[in-house]
Amino acid sequence: MKPNSPRGRVLHAAVAGAALAGLLTACGGSGGSGGSTSSGPVTLQFWGWANGQEALVKEFNAAHKDVKLKYTKVTDQLTIQKQLSNALKAKSAPCLVQNTAEYVTSWVSQGALADITKYVEPSKSKFNAGSWAGVQVQGKIYGVPTSSAPAFTIYRTDVFKKYGLKAPTTWDEFIAAGKVLTKHGIKITNYAGEDPSTLEVLAMQAGAHWYAIDGDAWKVDFQDAGSLKAAQVIQDIIDDDLNSTLSFADYAAVQRNFDKGRTATRQISTWQMSGMVQNFTDSFGDWALSPWPTFAGEAAKTPAGTNQSGGMNLVTEQCAHQQQAAEAALWLSTDNSAVKTMASPTTGSGVMPALADSSSYVDEAISQKLLGTNYEPAKKVVTDSLNTVTSDWVFGPDWTAMFTELQTQWGRVVGKQEKVTDLLAHMQEWTVQDLKSRGISVKG
């Protein structure tokens, strides 16, 4: 997965325990090779991909005598899923593995994760509700949140000022501004043909539920009112040619497009600013933040973030030292120095912590160079967005396969070969059949 893609969400919501009974069949683990059983300090294998984790491990090891972390850096989010699958089969899974919320249900259903509720639940109050929900399935806790992803709009103040526009507060205003800008050869957003996450997050914001629990079965609904409301916004933008269609495969071209003012806004999170700072040459100080646009007449509601977001460290069932792993994960997410290391775009990934109060870390997570005089007001936009995060989204047990299919079809939507509603109808049929083929009870 490209680090610049908006894919990979902090999204997840708590799933009621009783509702999932019988839907997830977790196999008992054998307590495998995730930790050392020799004399001396316990050594826990830790896999991750985020920038700054090597420094984080050094900090942990310096602060602990009885438990040590041995870090392996993995290329990216998708690679870690493949490598974990192979390691589980070989009974050689690490104790701690970085991940994101959309994969948790699937790993639990395969018996890959340890229930660490008794070790970490007393620390629940240290984390914000959205992040804490992401590590839960069936009311049990399988990891510790590491980061949040406040979601907001970043826009070119000079471009908006030139054409007499204000930062859009609603999607209707967003489209209206796009119609003004397109007359001058400027697009208001970019839809990459390989990245359907725009549809996912707008559906989430609109109150859609692609997956839900209905009694003893999964309910699938890609055509509910929220999904259709999101689809209309996207369709209007595509039909009126308000969007660029640059692929993230050419990251430099995407960044150049923003830097040169040919695309005027992005819906992003804090971590994505680092890519802008590293690649821009012309537009430093010309950017500002505004809240994520709302649907007309609705209160502020933001999707649960964008890529590299909503991180967590999960504890595997094969880990021979699950309590130590859980406690290590808590330290990595709550120690003040460790949190600062990861929040900084210089020493870490520039992500916001998952803590209940992350306001003191905003300075580290956003770029004064990029925002210029708009830096101070941007802080409130970031902290406010964490208070309006969607908290009722559920990832289905075949999420990875479903999203892959969604990706294969999304390019046809961006290319005007089919409508967004056609894609939703296809995904409804495809997902129901996919779940049935896996022997999973489904309604839809």
Side-chain angles (χ1 to χ4, degrees), residues 278-291:
Q278 292 164 13
N279 289 275
F280 285 3
T281 58
D282 296 351
S283 59
F284 290 120
D286 291 332
W287 295 87
L289 304 189
S290 64

Side-chain angles (χ1 to χ4, degrees), residues 123 126-127 144-146 327-340 353 355 361:
S123 298
K126 296 180 180 180
F127 298 92
V144 176
T146 58
E327 292 169 351
L330 282 171
W331 188 93
L332 294 172
S333 292
T334 59
D335 177 80
N336 185 57
S337 177
V339 173
K340 283 187 175 181
L355 300 175
Y361 300 97

Side-chain angles (χ1 to χ4, degrees), residues 190-196 234-235 237-247 406-420 422-423:
N190 182 66
Y191 289 165
E194 75 278 6
D195 184 14
I234 294 169
Q235 196 65 61
I237 290 171
I238 292 174
D239 287 348
D240 291 330
D241 295 315
L242 309 184
N243 61 297
S244 303
T245 58
L246 295 177
S247 169
L406 189 65
Q407 284 180 296
T408 66
Q409 301 297 315
W410 174 250
R412 293 179 57 80
V413 172
V414 173
K416 297 186 176 182
Q417 295 171 289
E418 67 180 32
K419 300 291 187 181
V420 184
D422 296 330
L423 173 57

